[in-house]
Amino acid sequence: MLPLPKSRPLRYLLPAAVVLAIGLVARQPLLGESLPAWPVVEGELRQSIVASGRVRTPQRIEMSAQLAGRVVAVAIREGDAVTPGQVLLRLDDAELKAARAQAQAGLAQSEARLRQVAELARPVAEQGRLQAEANWQQAKKHFERTSELVNRGFYSPAQLDEAGRALAVAESQLKSGEAQVASNRPEGADAQAIRAALDQARATLALAEARLAYASLSAPLAGRVLTRNVEPGDTVQPGKVLLVLAPDAETELTVQIDEKNIGLLAMGQTARVSADAYPQQNFAATVAYIAPAVDAQRGSVEVRLRVAEPPAYLKNEMTVSIDIDTARRASALQIPAEALRDASSAAPWVMVVREGVAQKQALRLGVRGKGRVEVVEGLAAGDLVLPASVAVAEGRLRPVVNQEK
């Protein structure tokens, strides 16, 4: 029977185990701690401002009656499209029509009176003046002959007095005829009075027609009826809003942007918009107005966007989500925003891993996109950055690359 091999003494095994344990412990510091890391990548980056706004009508026209009356007809309903001059509502106008007819009759009477002066009174007055002038000439000659005969002793002074009175009457009649002719001339007093009456009659007719026009409300321009607050049979008073119209114009959106983003805004910037009622359907808009002042109560600035081709479903006062493009880089070196440390300061930095060693790296940043930021200076493509939420000191570590960010 062969002898069993002799076991090694324990003193030989213990040193070997200690050496192996020391090797395992020593290897861990060389490899470092295992932490997630994101690679620095290059690609398109879009910076935007996202906010909630509303569909805005550039202006609204509130229509009301200018006189009291009873409504006899309403020709439109809410939502109807209207054209310029289209009659929307009528009041009872019987009394107003009667007033207009009376004014028309007054105007016709004044016009007839003016024609009468031109065609009858003036010629008659001229004929009367001519007759008076002939009588005056005859009376004058009679007075002169009588005066000569009295001087020669053939007539008595009493006959001269009689001839003088006849001459005075003839002269008075001549002056009266001349005054009548002058009065009937176009620049005369009678003609001026008649023309004044004619002007007054025209004004009265214009007033009657204006009041009659107030008995109906017509659309001042093309648009759509937003609100109707009246029904046939209602008695309305001046100033009460009966209809509200939205004129046909370019659709606008209005949004309040936080004042901290004012520096990012510029006229002409494009935006993607979706209505909250139709979140899957997007349409384009353009920044058309930036308010010159900040609303102190809200700490925001009003921005309006023009929609060149509004979708059919878009309605006034709809709530919309607006995503304004403020900057775009076709090829930008970028990292996740979650990697930034002291992101809001003037000297942001990251922990970057190069050749298995973590170290601080100051950065100069460019545009900030949704969850990502552009690195202008400080990193290169392929560098690995650590999340800012992980507290780590400079030194060796094992980065585990996470491509999701």
Side-chain angles (χ1 to χ4, degrees), residues 14-162:
L14 285 176
V18 170
V19 170
L20 177 62
I22 292 173
L24 292 174
V25 172
R27 183 180 177 185
Q28 182 65 25
L30 291 175
L31 296 177
E33 186 181 1
S34 177
L35 291 175
W38 296 309
V40 179
V41 297
E42 190 171 0
E44 184 182 23
L45 185 60
R46 173 176 169 269
Q47 178 176 274
S48 65
I49 299 173
V50 179
S52 181
R54 287 193 176 276
V55 179
R56 175 184 180 271
T57 303
Q59 59 178 331
R60 290 187 176 187
I61 300 176
E62 295 183 344
M63 303 190 67
S64 58
Q66 298 191 45
L67 47 80
R70 181 175 59 86
V71 178
V72 295
V74 182
I76 44 80
R77 295 173 297 180
E78 291 181 350
D80 285 354
V82 297
T83 56
Q86 179 181 341
V87 176
L88 311 178
L89 176 149
R90 292 187 182 277
L91 303 179
D92 184 5
D93 59 2
E95 183 178 348
L96 298 174
K97 286 181 176 178
R100 182 183 63 177
Q102 184 177 15
Q104 288 173 335
L107 177 60
Q109 185 178 14
S110 296
E111 290 174 340
R113 177 65 180 137
L114 188 61
R115 287 195 303 271
Q116 182 184 24
V117 170
E119 298 172 3
L120 182 62
R122 191 179 304 158
V124 170
E126 184 63 29
Q127 291 298 322
R129 186 195 67 80
L130 292 174
Q131 183 64 44
E133 186 176 9
N135 293 337
W136 175 76
Q137 291 289 351
Q138 185 177 4
K140 182 180 179 182
K141 290 179 180 180
H142 178 68
F143 177 79
E144 291 174 349
R145 286 195 304 269
T146 303
S147 177
E148 182 181 354
L149 292 173
V150 169
N151 291 333
R152 295 171 61 183
F154 293 104
Y155 280 178
S156 65
Q159 290 176 303
L160 182 60
D161 292 341
E162 183 66 26

Side-chain angles (χ1 to χ4, degrees), residues 130-375:
L130 292 174
Q131 183 64 44
E133 186 176 9
N135 293 337
W136 175 76
Q137 291 289 351
Q138 185 177 4
K140 182 180 179 182
K141 290 179 180 180
H142 178 68
F143 177 79
E144 291 174 349
R145 286 195 304 269
T146 303
S147 177
E148 182 181 354
L149 292 173
V150 169
N151 291 333
R152 295 171 61 183
F154 293 104
Y155 280 178
S156 65
Q159 290 176 303
L160 182 60
D161 292 341
E162 183 66 26
R165 284 193 297 271
L167 177 60
V169 170
E171 186 176 4
S172 176
Q173 290 174 346
L174 176 59
K175 290 181 179 180
S176 177
E178 290 175 343
Q180 189 65 38
V181 169
S183 179
N184 287 324
R185 286 174 181 161
E187 68 278 8
D190 285 357
Q192 289 181 359
I194 294 172
R195 281 198 299 272
L198 180 61
D199 291 341
Q200 183 177 4
R202 287 172 177 162
T204 301
L205 177 59
L207 177 60
E209 289 178 338
R211 290 183 61 81
L212 181 60
Y214 293 159
S216 63
L217 292 183
S218 300
L221 40 73
R224 190 168 298 275
V225 179
L226 295 182
T227 307
R228 166 179 155 172
N229 301 321
V230 63
E231 298 296 334
D234 290 350
T235 299
V236 298
Q237 299 296 327
K240 179 184 177 182
V241 176
L242 306 178
L243 302 168
V244 178
L245 301 183
D248 286 344
E250 288 186 321
T251 300
E252 283 190 342
L253 312 175
T254 180
V255 60
Q256 296 292 331
I257 301 297
D258 193 294
E259 62 179 312
K260 68 182 181 182
N261 293 320
I262 292 178
L264 303 178
L265 293 170
M267 297 290 290
Q269 289 174 333
T270 59
R272 292 179 295 179
V273 187
S274 64
D276 289 3
Y278 302 88
Q280 303 305 320
Q281 303 183 44
N282 294 331
F283 57 93
T286 305
V287 174
Y289 170 81
I290 301 173
V294 173
D295 187 325
Q297 299 297 323
R298 298 179 180 179
S300 63
V301 62
E302 182 185 10
V303 175
R304 299 176 194 165
L305 298 96
R306 182 177 294 111
V307 183
E309 298 180 0
Y313 61 77
L314 208 60
K315 300 183 183 298
N316 292 310
E317 301 302 333
M318 259 189 172
T319 302
V320 291
S321 296
I322 303 173
D323 189 350
I324 304 174
D325 284 333
T326 57
R328 187 184 292 270
R329 300 286 188 270
S331 181
L333 206 64
Q334 54 189 277
I335 60 173
E338 296 176 28
L340 279 180
R341 301 169 190 255
D342 294 337
S344 59
S345 71
W349 58 281
V350 294
M351 289 296 292
V352 62
V353 180
R354 296 188 178 104
E355 298 180 354
V357 178
Q359 61 189 55
K360 291 183 179 181
Q361 177 63 57
L363 302 179
R364 187 162 67 89
L365 303 178
V367 302
R368 296 175 181 251
K370 187 176 182 180
R372 305 190 70 82
V373 294
E374 179 187 15
V375 178

